Amino acid sequence: MTLVDAAIEASQSSIAAAQNLKRGLMQNLLTGKLKSDGTWRRDDEFNIDPKFGRVPKGWAYKRIREITNSYAGATPSRADETYFQGEIPWVKSSELKNRFLENAEEKISEAAFASSSTKWINPYTVLFAMYGATAGDVTILNIKACSNQAVLALPSKDSEQLDQMFLYYALKRAVPKLIEITQGGGQPNLSKGLIDKSYICVPCGIDEQRDIASSLDAIDCLIERRMGRLTTLGNLKKALMQNLLTGKVRIPPDLKIE
């Protein structure tokens, strides 16, 4: 059991280190202080903007409404049970938990789609949760779907000018400030209007956007792998606690601490 506990502790430490690295990378890559090749920008590689301060040359602050065609979904009537017995994936804001969304918990019928103002959302579109406990959650949709009114879809106006993965990370960085603006009392409500008028700093070159997004995605993949290992170790510990004395479960001889 001591070996498993040590492995769990090592995994937890490695996850914390990766998460700290991610926070630093997001802060520096998404402000242009750190280039996507891993080198730091010199002072002469910045312009001074009267509103935003230091801005990397070749970057610009853009409002979300300037670079996306945002729209929210809708909820078909729950009074007709057949509306929720179809094949069209219908996404709720509570499902925007992970980096990618591969499926929807509920599906609606063609009649339900036609009866409401919900709209189709194409794959590889950023989704943003606007209301309630999940406000500020962001994901990338990996299927064709529609959504409820608490989910804002943010397709790029021009896919050659704005990479959706870059937008995902830029919004993740912007969320704390948006939450602070709307917090007040109770849960925040991040309206379409507030999100649309918010600014993010965007490299004008799509290749640089993709390089930045790729670097951040790589650290997210690393964190996910380490989280998966931690889950496996946790399950192993539970099994050992229940069954070790009966001999039903044995510690794998090749278990290593990383």
Side-chain angles (χ1 to χ4, degrees), residues 19-70:
Q19 289 172 334
N20 286 334
L21 174 61
K22 178 185 173 181
R23 282 191 286 271
L25 285 174
M26 287 186 69
Q27 171 62 28
N28 291 308
L29 284 171
L30 293 172
T31 58
K33 295 176 183 177
L34 183 66
K35 297 180 184 180
S36 55
D37 64 5
T39 61
W40 295 95
R41 273 189 171 80
R42 304 184 308 272
D43 286 344
D44 62 0
E45 294 180 280
F46 290 86
N47 291 320
I48 303 300
D49 183 276
K51 182 174 183 177
F52 299 106
R54 282 160 51 93
V55 179
K57 292 179 179 179
W59 289 45
Y61 273 88
K62 301 282 188 180
R63 290 188 188 271
I64 297 299
R65 66 180 176 224
E66 295 179 69
I67 53 179
T68 73
N69 291 313
S70 66

Side-chain angles (χ1 to χ4, degrees), residues 67-87:
I67 53 179
T68 73
N69 291 313
S70 66
Y71 59 91
T75 301
S77 173
R78 291 277 185 183
D80 189 335
E81 293 182 0
T82 65
Y83 278 3
F84 290 84
Q85 297 173 4
E87 298 297 327

Side-chain angles (χ1 to χ4, degrees), residues 91-106:
V91 177
K92 303 183 295 295
S93 60
S94 59
E95 298 174 72
L96 277 58
K97 300 172 184 176
N98 301 314
R99 195 158 83 264
F100 297 103
L101 182 61
E102 308 288 350
N103 202 0
E105 295 172 355
E106 292 188 274

